[in-house]
Amino acid sequence: MSGIDRREFLERVAVAASALSASGLVACRDEGSASAAAPGGPSDKATPEIAPGPVVAVKAEEVVVPEIVDTIVEVEALRGMPWPTPDPFLFCVHHKDGYPAGNEAQGPVASLAGRQIGQDFSGRDGWSMYHGDVVPGFPRHPHRGFETVTVARRGFIDHSDSMGATARYGGGDTQWMTAGAGIVHAEMFPLRQTAEANPVELFQIWLNLPQKKKMVRPYFTMLWADDIPVHRFVDAAGKTAVVTAVAGTLQGKTPPPAPPDSWASQPGSDVAIWTIELEAGASWTLPAAAEGLARSLYFYAGDSLKVGTRDLPTSSRAGLRSDLPTRLVAGAGPVSLLVLQGRPIAEPVAKYGPFVMNSQAEIQQAFADYRATEFGGWPWPSDAPVHARSQERFALHSDGRRDVPG
């Protein structure tokens, strides 16, 4: 969830031209960029709750176990956020915040003293305000040239954007937004429960756009939890693996489509975004896909995991061969994994804060365009709008179309 508070961003615009030297294009986490990537959240070794979806149950006798082979081509540690993400992905963060009960404004019932309000990534008491000053989250900030895929596993997110669209989603929903030529949006985390805690867990993943699609009209779609396939596999020992397929066909079941200009919508891209929960001692085989894909396995929660013939350290990414199946076996406790897969776009990448283009000149133009137009302006009365506490999940698109789960 890489945001930038508006004051800081506008200050940076004023000096952008001098800051963007040929060697000055920096990754989103570097101090020179305007990143809002969260530091690692509190450790969670218990299996997270699984959102409901169209369940595909597979019995052990239906599963053919292939020969166990070593498919790991590289291993690297997950040192804070963002996580390393090979082409076609650009960025991935895992936000996990144990927010307390909410107040009348849907902010935390807790003192904010000692936090750097407007830039709070402290994780103090198990949660952060991020760029929010009343409600946690990311007030309005711009994007151009890529897509955000926000997988809201727990809690709620209130979306508002410069196209006039707005939404509330959570509890297993995913929002897939093509920033394209430029959009400004806010992503706030309303704390709706007043008598109990408000845990929030989400992934935000940035997927690149090829050059010919970088300046398309912005667009977002909702993948509601009930429409996202959830596969429950039972192994020979009776242990369960649960795979939620946000993108990418698995066992003949295809999730709702990505936006039309997404790299995931292009033939042969083979984009997959899967979360995997293995109970203690469970085994499951990640099926083979096409050759030449970038396939990453993120082991972010749990004590031990065997990947093929090797033990993978906790809090690490394994780059895997995509053309071979990979056997996964959990140790004595439950394990949580994320799979990101896709065919590399294989084009030059220039990125600075919220913009991802192909050249330094295009980055400079993005700053100039935003300074001149603010990508259509901001139609909302607040930089950090939230819906009423009673509002249930919905999406209102820029064309006036209203979308609800079910």
Side-chain angles (χ1 to χ4, degrees), residues 359-386:
S359 69
Q360 178 185 351
E362 290 170 333
I363 292 290
Q364 292 173 326
Q365 187 62 52
F367 273 86
D369 291 347
Y370 178 70
R371 183 173 52 199
T373 69
E374 292 196 341
F375 296 158
W378 188 247
W380 309 101
S382 165
D383 284 351
V386 294

Side-chain angles (χ1 to χ4, degrees), residues 91-178:
F91 178 96
C92 180
V93 293
H94 178 225
H95 290 289
K96 187 170 178 140
D97 292 278
Y99 292 112
N103 58 26
E104 291 184 0
Q106 299 182 79
V109 176
S111 171
L112 300 183
R115 295 177 182 269
Q116 187 179 349
I117 297 303
Q119 192 84 319
D120 173 36
F121 293 82
S122 64
R124 183 174 178 173
D125 300 324
W127 51 275
S128 298
M129 288 295 290
Y130 304 108
H131 291 318
D133 56 9
V134 176
V135 176
F138 297 82
R140 66 164 164 164
H141 55 279
H143 292 303
R144 171 180 278 186
F146 63 99
E147 297 187 284
T148 61
V149 184
T150 307
V151 182
R153 287 159 66 86
R154 301 182 73 185
F156 296 93
I157 301 173
D158 282 0
H159 163 94
S160 304
D161 67 40
S162 55
M163 303 285 287
T166 188
R168 169 169 283 174
Y169 61 100
D173 301 328
T174 292
Q175 186 198 68
W176 197 313
M177 186 184 80
T178 304

Side-chain angles (χ1 to χ4, degrees), residues 47 63 97 158 186 206 240 247 265 337:
T47 303
V63 178
D97 292 278
D158 282 0
W206 288 12
T240 301
S265 297
L337 309 168

